[in-house]
Amino acid sequence: QVQLVESGGGLVQSGGSLRLSCAASGLQFNRYGIGWFRQAPGKEREGVVCMSRAGDVRYSEYSEDSRKGRFTMSRDNGKKMAYLQMNSLKPEDTAVYYCAARSQILSSSATCAQDDYNTWGQGTQVTVSS
């Protein structure tokens, strides 16, 4: 059974940091691109940052320029884990954060197109207080 489980969310003050983790099971992790997405209350789910199986990173075209300097994604294929390091958090970063996986060929670049992802975690809540 393919499964993704996010963890690491919580309540943090504005300016604080959190590190989200995504644990994968039931799949050959190094054959999958991984993406981080989020859904704020009353808004559609949007991409945050995504990484191809080869390690190519792409920030969602909808990401604020500032987010690119605050959020960093990494992965550990040996542990079947992906991470999202979030620094200088703002109240507008409050959302449920999801990781997702997409099977891809090695030469494919990263994408944050949600329709390309077919395996999703249940999400972890991040709340940033002002």
Side-chain angles (χ1 to χ4, degrees), residues 32-104:
Y32 283 75
I34 302 294
W36 284 99
F37 302 82
R38 70 183 190 181
Q39 187 166 21
K43 296 186 177 181
E44 293 187 353
R45 189 170 59 193
E46 63 178 7
V48 177
V49 58
C50 304
M51 181 180 284
S52 71
R53 59 179 284 191
D56 170 46
V57 175
R58 176 167 297 183
Y59 287 85
S60 169
E61 62 184 31
Y62 300 109
S63 291
E64 302 169 355
D65 288 341
S66 62
R67 193 186 306 166
K68 298 177 184 178
R70 298 187 293 119
F71 290 7
T72 303
M73 179 177 178
S74 61
R75 64 188 293 167
D76 184 331
N77 288 339
K79 295 182 178 179
K80 295 188 177 182
M81 297 288 294
Y83 306 97
L84 181 64
Q85 178 67 43
M86 305 185 295
N87 300 325
S88 302
L89 283 163
K90 306 175 182 179
E92 51 264 43
D93 294 318
T94 294
V96 177
Y97 283 73
Y98 300 89
C99 67
R102 60 183 287 262
S103 178
Q104 61 171 142

Side-chain angles (χ1 to χ4, degrees), residues 8 11-19 70 85-89:
L11 174 64
V12 63
Q13 289 188 335
S14 181
S17 297
L18 281 175
R19 187 193 194 206
R70 298 187 293 119
Q85 178 67 43
M86 305 185 295
N87 300 325
S88 302
L89 283 163

